[in-house]
Amino acid sequence: MNKKLLSYLGVVLLAIGFTACVDSESTVESILEKDKKAIEEYLAENPITGPKDFVDEVSGFRVIWQELSNSGRLPVPGDTVQVNYVGKLLNGRVFDTSIESVARENNIFSENRNYIPLRFILGRGQLIEGFESAIAIMEAGDKATVIMPSLFGYGGAAQGDIPPNSPLIFELDFIDLKKGPQQ
């Protein structure tokens, strides 16, 4: 019985020790608050308007439509979507695009890449959460700017030239969708 109690106390003390080592600046909550503040500052300096917007106040995730197609063609999981995109950091640096002219203009062009619209099956988790979440609320033919906290992007992991905990901006042109087998 004493061994069990000592073992239990050891586990509790070990857990307390680990939580004491957690940097309060690197909790999910603190990173989210920093991201939301950075997004607000970005939008104050670079206002984006459009005919429609979606703002999740809790998470800071935003979609601001530049063009509404009114096609009525909303994707559902299993549909194949086709999208042109430009991915940027809040400092305006383009880190990825499906458009060759944009890649060339921003010195990220690669001879080994085909610059064509991205095609993926919605709902399979093939892309970052924020990208798929934005497409899921857009209609085929819509164009929108998506601004997302890092937890909807790459989170605490660096991805190529994208630093860890980076809020992201995507300019999306939802070209088309092909209905897939519905679940």
Side-chain angles (χ1 to χ4, degrees), residues 43-69:
L43 288 170
E45 294 173 16
N46 307 281
I48 302 172
T49 59
K52 178 180 170 183
D53 66 354
F54 168 85
V55 179
D56 182 337
E57 297 293 339
V58 174
S59 71
F61 182 83
R62 298 171 177 266
V63 180
I64 306 158
W65 279 259
Q66 268 62 70
E67 292 181 27
L68 293 169
S69 67

Side-chain angles (χ1 to χ4, degrees), residues 1 6 25 32 43 48 66 84 106 111 121 132 145 150:
M1 178 105 170
L6 284 174
E25 295 292 306
L32 180 59
L43 288 170
I48 302 172
Q66 268 62 70
N84 264 324
N106 289 278
E111 292 284 343
I121 299 172
E132 287 207 30
T145 300
S150 60

